Amino acid sequence: MQVFQHALARVAVWNLAGFGGIKEPRMKQQALGLALLDAELVTLVEVNPVSHIYALAAEIAQYGIEYDVAIIEQPGNLHTGFLFKKGVDVSHLRMINGSQGNYTRGRRAVAIDVKIGKFAATLIGVHLKAGRDKADQRLRDSQCKVIGKWIDDLRDTPGYKRDTILLMGDFNMIPGQDVSNFHHLGGDDVMDFVSCWDLQDRFSHILDKGRANLLDGFAVSRAYSKDYVRGSLRLFPMHWTMDMGRERFKDEVSDHLPFVASFKVF
């Protein structure tokens, strides 16, 4: 078999819309979408149940793409996990303690260490409190403060001081509206929320009656992050690649669209 060599690795994030569970027909559609996305590393939000991510990996293998799996079970029933190809070194899978904030039933942020060629990063997958009310924003503030401090502490930890930090997932935050959330999550100007800049005219969350907004997020640490290919972050139009309209995609696959970005591995 021919071996393809790459200078770049693609990192993606996608909310699977797992509230209430994901049945087999939708799992198969999601596997097809992920095969078309074909990223080296994918952060998956709202995995439900945990076994779903293993079913996805097995189904994607039918398209000739082999993924390994890393996942930690959350206290609730919506989990964050990772799919990664051979050659992607994933280690030190852990939850960020206290990252549920004041939202007792909230999802914890999950971190992994990633090595692809010369690219080294700590990736943090998040699924923050949903809701547009002021009380919801305050709960997200409590979560963002913990995650922001964890990022600050990681930057001061030997062995991590010069590594890239990636932050991605369902932020449930809208650029220009949830200002305090972004402030606390970014720490002291530590994170660059590239999704806010590169995707200003895009949407990732499909609402009822076809409306949409940019709830999902993707951020890269400002210091020492020379591996991110500037301007590479894209919203992947999975509904188009699967020959679906937005409404059908929302019903049969997910109510979110993935992000994907490129990183230099040389």
Side-chain angles (χ1 to χ4, degrees):
M1 179 180 294
Q2 185 176 5
V3 177
F4 291 91
Q5 296 179 337
H6 299 277
L8 305 178
R10 301 200 306 159
V11 178
V13 57
W14 189 25
N15 184 321
L16 297 172
F19 184 79
I22 302 173
K23 296 182 179 179
E24 185 175 2
R26 191 148 66 95
M27 180 276 291
K28 289 181 176 293
Q29 292 277 49
Q30 291 178 346
L32 172 59
L34 286 165
L36 293 168
L37 178 63
D38 194 23
E40 278 64 52
L41 170 63
V42 187
T43 301
L44 295 176
V45 179
E46 290 200 14
V47 177
N48 183 21
V50 167
S51 60
H52 177 68
I53 195 170
Y54 295 97
L56 276 176
E59 185 68 21
I60 296 169
Q62 303 301 312
Y63 300 101
I65 304 170
E66 292 188 17
Y67 278 113
D68 288 326
V69 172
I71 192 167
I72 295 180
E73 189 168 352
Q74 295 274 353
N77 58 7
L78 295 176
H79 314 281
T80 299
F82 307 91
L83 294 174
F84 52 99
K85 292 182 179 180
K86 306 297 182 184
V88 178
D89 182 12
V90 168
S91 62
H92 200 186
L93 174 67
R94 69 272 200 198
M95 283 188 183
I96 296 180
N97 291 331
S99 55
Q100 75 277 12
N102 296 331
Y103 183 35
T104 306
R105 297 178 290 109
R107 284 80 53 174
R108 280 66 169 167
V110 179
I112 56 170
D113 293 345
V114 179
K115 187 88 164 56
I116 312 174
K118 294 183 179 180
F119 172 61
T122 295
L123 189 159
I124 306 164
V126 300
H127 185 194
L128 301 176
K129 175 69 176 68
R132 306 309 310 148
D133 294 336
K134 188 65 177 178
D136 300 314
Q137 187 182 42
R138 287 172 177 165
L139 285 174
R140 283 194 298 275
D141 276 343
S142 69
Q143 296 174 318
C144 293
K145 287 177 182 177
V146 174
I147 298 168
K149 184 180 185 306
W150 192 90
I151 291 172
D152 287 340
D153 292 342
L154 182 71
R155 183 55 81 203
D156 290 332
T157 301
Y160 290 93
K161 292 184 177 182
R162 290 183 174 269
D163 287 355
T164 299
I165 300 172
L166 304 180
L167 178 66
M168 65 188 71
D170 188 348
F171 287 7
N172 275 308
M173 294 152 43
I174 296 178
Q177 293 186 19
D178 299 300
V179 177
S180 63
N181 295 164
F182 282 101
H183 169 73
H184 294 305
L185 193 57
D188 294 326
D189 205 26
V190 173
M191 303 302 296
D192 184 0
F193 292 92
V194 292
S195 54
C196 295
W197 310 113
D198 294 356
L199 304 175
Q200 288 186 48
D201 58 344
R202 303 295 181 183
F203 63 86
S204 63
H205 182 218
I206 305 169
L207 299 171
D208 293 335
K209 299 181 181 179
R211 294 182 299 120
N213 55 34
L214 190 69
L215 283 184
D216 302 277
F218 198 111
V220 182
S221 53
R222 292 183 182 276
Y224 306 114
S225 298
K226 298 180 180 180
D227 298 307
Y228 171 63
V229 178
R230 293 181 181 178
S232 68
L233 181 66
R234 291 290 182 268
L235 187 137
F236 183 72
M238 190 179 283
H239 57 310
W240 289 355
T241 66
M242 297 178 70
D243 196 22
M244 292 185 183
R246 271 196 330 212
E247 291 296 323
R248 182 183 165 200
F249 184 85
K250 179 177 182 292
D251 292 339
E252 297 184 11
V253 186
S254 175
D255 61 347
H256 287 251
L257 293 171
F259 291 164
V260 61
S262 296
F263 293 84
K264 294 181 291 185
V265 299
F266 55 87

